Amino acid sequence: MQAYVEAVNERISHLVSADKDSDLSAAMHYSLINGGKRIRPALFLSIVDAFREDWEAFIDMAVALEMVHTYSLIHDDLPAMDDDVMRRGKPTLHVAFSESTAILSGDALLTDAFSLIANIDTMNTSRRLCAIKILSEGAGSKGMVKGQMLDLKYENTDTSVKTLNHIHAHKTGRLIAAAMMMGACAAGEDPTAFESIGIELGLAFQIQDDILEATTDETTMGKSFSDAKHNKSTYVSYSGIDGAKQALSHRFQSIREALKNLPIDVTKIEPLIQAIETRTH
Ligand code: GRG
């Protein structure tokens, strides 16, 4: 995991410079550099590695994923959405710069991500197209954006676990699934099997987020806690800490079982699953 994260950080530093004459590039740099755990790009690279491909050749696709994820966090923090003031241990982008700069930086990160993938000319066109299709579908109106819309719709409402799962399978699950599926695309393999595993991992990730939010503090997590402010139901508010922990353990068990059935070198992914399972922020 460390090797993937270091490679992603190095490539981000190379690709995104903090141009003093451009508020837009300074703002994109501010959000992208430092702080993020780089889980989605690391997952993508581990799948490429598990198919025994040279993962370092696919680093720009990993960075593109992090750019889409970072855009989603910037927009999620805006006053019109969660209205949060801390992210990745720093003031959120609209607080550090301005609301309009935060909106435009998110727009730019999302758009530039696709240009980055389209320009990986060392990669065969059908693999690039497969990745672009999956990333756009995972992030767009049937994926993460739909999840965000549902999340806003169900604020101030008592939801069932079924509805919570539906929201988070889209909001958190679809981009994590896209990361894994893009790993298969990049290796020239069929991505289908990774869709349900990725969504399962996204749901586990969200349950964990809710448990951490209930058991730790904003400084440790490096972000504002705003679920209570918006009266959002969480896995903990619905099932209690013990119930949420039990659901989490079931999900990780089924993720490991599903991965074992695939024709890949699972030892490349297991350390990452382990790191996600035991994360503290
Ligand atoms: C605005 C279109 C749009 C979508 C926003 C991802 C998202 C949808 C909102 C984030 C809200 C949130 C806190 C969800 C919980 C799970 C999650 C995605 C946490 C943040 O991801 P990490 O922990 O963050 O990987 P870092 O900072 O480590 O990259």
Side-chain angles (χ1 to χ4, degrees):
M1 163 121 189
Q2 200 54 33
Y4 304 143
V5 171
E6 278 168 16
V8 167
N9 286 339
E10 199 182 308
R11 188 65 183 149
I12 288 177
S13 304
H14 180 80
L15 286 171
V16 188
S17 59
D19 181 351
K20 287 195 178 57
D21 298 327
S22 159
D23 279 353
L24 183 61
S25 86
M28 289 161 74
H29 183 265
Y30 176 89
S31 288
L32 263 183
I33 299 285
N34 301 330
K37 296 184 287 297
R38 315 303 194 201
I39 283 170
R40 293 149 195 82
L43 259 178
F44 161 77
L45 292 170
S46 76
I47 302 286
V48 175
D49 205 3
F51 277 115
R52 299 173 183 83
E53 288 270 338
D54 169 21
W55 62 268
E56 282 166 325
F58 300 91
I59 198 73
D60 281 7
M61 205 174 267
V63 172
L65 261 164
E66 187 65 14
M67 288 165 80
V68 173
H69 168 59
T70 303
Y71 125 77
S72 81
L73 299 180
I74 294 169
H75 280 195
D76 184 63
D77 291 333
L78 285 168
M81 305 256 185
D82 278 0
D83 193 14
D84 283 327
V85 295
M86 181 170 54
R87 170 71 65 183
R88 293 178 164 175
K90 300 183 291 194
T92 46
L93 191 60
H94 64 273
V95 171
F97 287 73
S98 68
E99 203 175 327
S100 53
T101 307
I103 293 169
L104 291 171
S105 300
D107 293 340
L109 285 166
L110 175 63
T111 314
D112 289 359
F114 289 98
S115 157
L116 195 56
I117 299 177
N119 280 297
I120 310 176
D121 46 23
T122 48
M123 192 190 285
N124 130 350
T125 314
S126 67
R127 294 187 191 191
R128 272 184 264 174
L129 191 59
C130 174
I132 286 173
K133 176 179 180 313
I134 284 174
L135 184 55
S136 55
E137 288 172 0
S141 61
K142 295 188 176 66
M144 181 175 68
V145 174
K146 174 178 174 177
Q148 181 75 353
M149 223 28 218
L150 291 169
D151 189 67
L152 295 171
K153 176 179 167 183
Y154 283 100
E155 279 180 1
N156 301 310
T157 317
D158 271 337
T159 47
S160 62
V161 164
K162 194 172 164 218
T163 306
L164 269 189
N165 286 342
H166 184 63
I167 296 171
H168 296 304
H170 289 85
K171 186 179 138 184
T172 307
R174 286 299 304 274
L175 193 61
I176 289 182
M180 299 183 88
M181 294 169 80
M182 285 164 68
C185 288
E189 301 285 342
D190 182 358
T192 317
F194 291 97
E195 184 169 13
S196 55
I197 301 175
I199 287 181
E200 190 77 10
L201 186 56
L203 289 173
F205 196 82
Q206 184 66 49
I207 297 172
Q208 236 177 352
D209 231 60
D210 291 351
I211 295 172
L212 288 169
E213 222 173 277
T215 54
T216 179
D217 54 71
E218 293 185 335
T219 311
T220 310
M221 291 292 278
K223 64 179 182 183
S224 312
F225 292 168
S226 56
D227 287 349
K229 180 173 83 186
H230 297 289
N231 272 323
K232 288 189 192 182
S233 297
T234 69
Y235 288 98
V236 171
S237 70
Y238 196 84
S239 311
I241 297 275
D242 289 344
K245 283 186 176 168
Q246 214 170 8
L248 185 63
S249 146
H250 283 145
R251 293 219 181 260
F252 274 108
Q253 203 178 331
S254 74
I255 290 161
R256 287 193 168 93
E257 273 162 23
L259 283 171
K260 253 191 265 162
N261 291 327
L262 297 178
I264 51 171
D265 178 2
V266 195
T267 62
K268 302 290 185 187
I269 308 170
E270 175 51 33
L272 189 47
I273 301 291
Q274 179 74 23
I276 296 173
E277 191 175 18
T278 54
R279 76 187 171 106
T280 53
H281 67 285

